[in-house]
Amino acid sequence: MQHFIEFILTHLVKNPADLSVTQIEGEYKNTYQVRAHPDDIGRIIGSRGRTIKAVQQVVSILAKDLGERFEIEVVKDEE
């Protein structure tokens, strides 16, 4: 699932080399932390969060087949 999220987001950003998705396994669900170039954070989140919500909907189809619960968290690094 981590690679699928990376694949989708790589095509949205202008700096794909700076994109990373890290999986954090939890007791009830997995969290996928997305880190990207500061200029790309807005592209990933989108207007009113629409882009990241759309990514979550697409990924949820795969998650349902795998029986996995997840969340995607966009992390903004402080400079």
Side-chain angles (χ1 to χ4, degrees):
M1 184 108 81
Q2 176 181 355
H3 298 294
F4 185 59
I5 295 169
E6 260 183 77
F7 175 77
I8 293 171
L9 295 179
T10 298
H11 292 86
L12 293 175
V13 298
K14 287 190 174 187
N15 303 295
D18 294 335
L19 178 72
S20 70
V21 178
T22 307
Q23 178 182 355
I24 301 171
E25 292 188 28
E27 189 174 340
Y28 299 106
K29 65 181 175 183
N30 292 330
T31 301
Y32 295 94
Q33 283 189 341
V34 176
R35 296 183 189 276
H37 191 276
D39 295 339
D40 291 327
I41 296 293
R43 290 178 168 279
I44 293 170
I45 296 171
S47 176
R48 298 183 184 158
R50 289 182 182 154
T51 304
I52 194 64
K53 286 178 187 174
V55 171
Q56 286 177 330
Q57 286 178 334
V58 170
V59 173
S60 70
I61 295 168
L62 177 62
K64 186 176 180 181
D65 287 344
L66 297 175
E68 181 179 332
R69 300 185 116 196
F70 76 98
E71 73 175 344
I72 298 175
E73 181 180 288
V74 181
V75 179
K76 182 177 180 182
D77 291 329
E78 298 298 324
E79 292 182 13

